[in-house]
Amino acid sequence: MKNRNNKYILALWAVTLLSLPQASAQKKDSEINLVTLAKQNGFRLENRTLQVLMDGNRQGVRLDEKPDANEGVAWLPNTSFSQGTIEVDIRGRDILQRSFVGIAFHGSGERNYDAVYFRPFNFRSADPVRRVHAVQYISLPKHDWPVLRKEFPDQYEKGIDPAPDPNDWFHARIVVDNETIRVFVNDNATPSLTVRKLSDRREGNVGLWVGATSGGDFANLTITPP
């Protein structure tokens, strides 16, 4: 009996040791090189153009503004995301109604996706009502922000405390499971937004998202499974 237990313990150790390099590789593989994708024209673009962005230690991409266009998305190629964590550095601008920046996921076509996005011009507004509208979840095509704000006021959009600089980079961590979406900003241990997922989509494409009339900067994107 003792020899059998020893063999069982040794087998467990072997499985653990073999899995360590694989786990490290999986984490490394979650990093998305936005610059390389941009240079290879790897993004599938909707309503925007895109250029490489070098800003100090950050290397990423910029989606341009389109004053006469609806939302814009730069979809990642060959990416099917279901559950897990999406992390990214984002920069918008402190210009009223001209800066909407975020991440689309579970996408299956134009205006058929879920998204989490930010309104930097509301981050530190003197108006307390605007401050509550800092981070937003939407699920298109049925649940855009006007519908959610009217039918579920202050449920699918929240403020961020402490609020980031509206003109500087901030880090967003979006945790998605089958039923719930949580959004963390910078080093905050408490989510700024926790919502029930509104669509029945369980997987789909991931994209860099900007709102109507808006552009935005993105860097350091990672996608990690649960």
Side-chain angles (χ1 to χ4, degrees):
M1 186 70 176
K2 183 176 180 181
N3 289 337
R4 183 179 298 175
N5 287 338
N6 288 340
K7 289 180 180 179
Y8 179 72
I9 292 171
L10 288 172
L12 284 177
W13 272 105
V15 170
T16 302
L17 290 172
L18 287 172
S19 66
L20 287 175
Q22 183 177 359
S24 297
Q26 187 178 28
K27 184 176 181 181
K28 185 176 181 180
D29 289 343
S30 70
E31 299 173 359
I32 310 297
N33 192 321
L34 299 177
V35 172
T36 298
L37 278 178
K39 290 181 177 179
Q40 295 175 348
N41 295 319
F43 289 97
R44 178 169 59 85
L45 299 174
E46 291 181 3
N47 299 326
R48 291 297 186 276
T49 60
L50 177 147
Q51 65 183 31
V52 170
L53 172 69
M54 301 293 184
D55 184 26
N57 293 328
R58 283 188 178 86
Q59 300 182 12
V61 295
R62 170 172 290 170
L63 272 65
D64 66 335
E65 296 181 5
K66 292 286 188 184
D68 56 347
N70 291 325
E71 300 92 342
V73 188
W75 294 106
L76 302 177
N78 305 318
T79 301
S80 183
F81 172 78
S82 56
Q83 299 183 65
T85 302
I86 303 171
E87 297 192 58
V88 63
D89 292 343
I90 302 175
R91 182 172 61 183
R93 298 194 297 167
D94 190 10
I95 300 179
L96 185 63
Q97 302 299 336
R98 292 289 301 274
S99 187
F100 308 90
V101 284
I103 293 291
F105 55 93
H106 293 176
S108 60
E110 188 169 358
R111 290 188 61 81
N112 195 347
Y113 53 78
D114 288 12
V116 168
Y117 70 90
F118 301 86
R119 302 180 180 101
F121 53 85
N122 285 338
F123 285 175
R124 297 182 180 179
S125 172
D127 182 349
V129 175
R130 282 179 49 195
R131 287 202 304 272
V132 175
H133 301 159
V135 53
Q136 172 88 53
Y137 163 75
I138 58 174
S139 182
L140 300 181
K142 293 182 179 180
H143 298 99
D144 205 348
W145 71 267
V147 174
L148 295 176
R149 186 173 293 179
K150 179 180 178 181
E151 297 183 1
F152 308 96
D154 297 336
Q155 183 173 338
Y156 289 93
E157 54 187 335
K158 296 289 184 180
I160 301 172
D161 185 22
D165 183 337
N167 289 305
D168 202 357
W169 291 96
F170 63 93
H171 186 75
R173 178 163 59 95
I174 303 167
V175 182
V176 179
D177 65 28
N178 281 332
E179 303 298 334
T180 306
I181 297 165
R182 292 174 294 150
V183 183
F184 300 82
V185 178
N186 290 335
D187 297 323
N188 296 352
T190 302
S192 298
L193 180 69
T194 301
V195 296
R196 177 179 59 87
K197 195 171 185 295
L198 290 175
S199 75
D200 58 2
R201 293 182 290 261
R202 290 294 177 257
E203 64 178 354
N205 297 325
V206 173
L208 312 176
W209 184 98
V210 292
T213 76
S214 176
D217 301 337
F218 301 85
N220 297 325
L221 175 66
T222 64
I223 302 174
T224 307

